[in-house]
Amino acid sequence: MSGRNTALTPPADATAPVRHPDAPAPGELLGAHYEHCFGCGHGQPHGLHLEARAGEGVRVTAEFTVKPAHQGAPGLAHGGVLATALDETLGSLNWLLRVIAVTGRLETDFVRPVPVDTVLYLEAEVTAVAGRKIYSSAVGRIGGPQGPVALRADALFIEVKVDHFIDNGRPEEIRAAMADPDQVRRARAFEVNP
């Protein structure tokens, strides 16, 4: 692809990604990492409610239905919503590596319009790891895994510690997440790019 940003090209010493032994099993629904996440949380009435599943290797698949609240031009998905769907799907890959990471860069190619009421099927994979940098790519298809390509993305995620969220998040939400008595839900709130 001409004009590709070199920040998204793994360095020569990058390594192949390794799925963590405790990663969710292939086919397992990952579920929302945080109830109020715009991408995957069910506590957001106009959110994407994106559902991601672990795939083979270091891959995930995800789906979401474009609703009227997601439109930009009449009857078509807003480009920012589509970029959010890609970002959420790419962020879900970090569950397979068992690292906390945030989006450093996301480059999106919009190939064709996505109409309202369309089910967008997304596939993403980690392509390389170099230190704290995680390189990944994704594709979005209209209607299913064999549907026409609507968008593509390349991304760079940066591994961070939980302090990144505690130091930078709004205190009310951080306190509420940290006070959750459910240990698994408390930990998952900080697992994926917010």
Side-chain angles (χ1 to χ4, degrees):
M1 182 185 320
S2 65
R4 183 183 162 115
N5 189 305
T6 57
L8 294 172
T9 303
D13 63 347
T15 60
V18 176
R19 183 189 188 100
H20 193 279
D22 295 331
E28 186 176 327
L29 186 64
L30 299 178
H33 73 96
Y34 178 54
E35 180 185 353
H36 301 290
C37 173
F38 182 78
C40 66
H42 291 284
Q44 288 286 350
H46 299 296
L48 304 186
H49 304 152
L50 185 136
E51 293 193 340
R53 290 189 181 277
E56 298 291 332
V58 190
R59 295 173 171 261
V60 297
T61 60
E63 290 185 5
F64 92 97
T65 302
V66 178
K67 303 289 186 191
H70 302 144
Q71 64 190 312
L76 297 173
H78 189 287
V81 167
L82 297 175
T84 299
L86 286 165
D87 185 47
E88 186 68 30
T89 303
L90 289 157
S92 296
L93 289 165
N94 298 312
W95 291 5
L96 303 181
L97 299 174
R98 297 292 297 247
V99 299
I100 300 171
V102 296
T103 310
R105 186 177 218 49
L106 176 66
E107 185 174 294
T108 305
D109 295 314
F110 299 96
V111 178
R112 68 173 23 106
V114 179
V116 168
D117 295 327
T118 295
V119 174
L120 190 64
Y121 180 85
L122 301 123
E123 298 173 303
E125 69 176 321
V126 177
T127 57
V129 176
R132 294 176 46 226
K133 295 181 178 182
I134 302 163
Y135 298 87
S136 53
S137 62
V139 63
R141 296 175 180 274
I142 294 175
Q146 305 306 316
V149 172
L151 53 152
R152 292 185 183 92
D154 290 306
L156 169 64
F157 280 76
I158 309 297
E159 185 177 347
V160 297
K161 302 296 181 205
V162 74
D163 292 352
H164 168 85
F165 301 97
I166 294 168
D167 294 345
N168 296 294
R170 197 166 71 161
E172 302 91 287
E173 282 85 358
I174 298 298
R175 280 193 298 274
M178 297 296 281
D180 191 324
D182 184 317
Q183 183 178 0
V184 172
R185 205 169 44 226
R186 185 172 58 239
R188 287 190 72 189
F190 302 103
E191 280 186 343
V192 174
N193 180 39

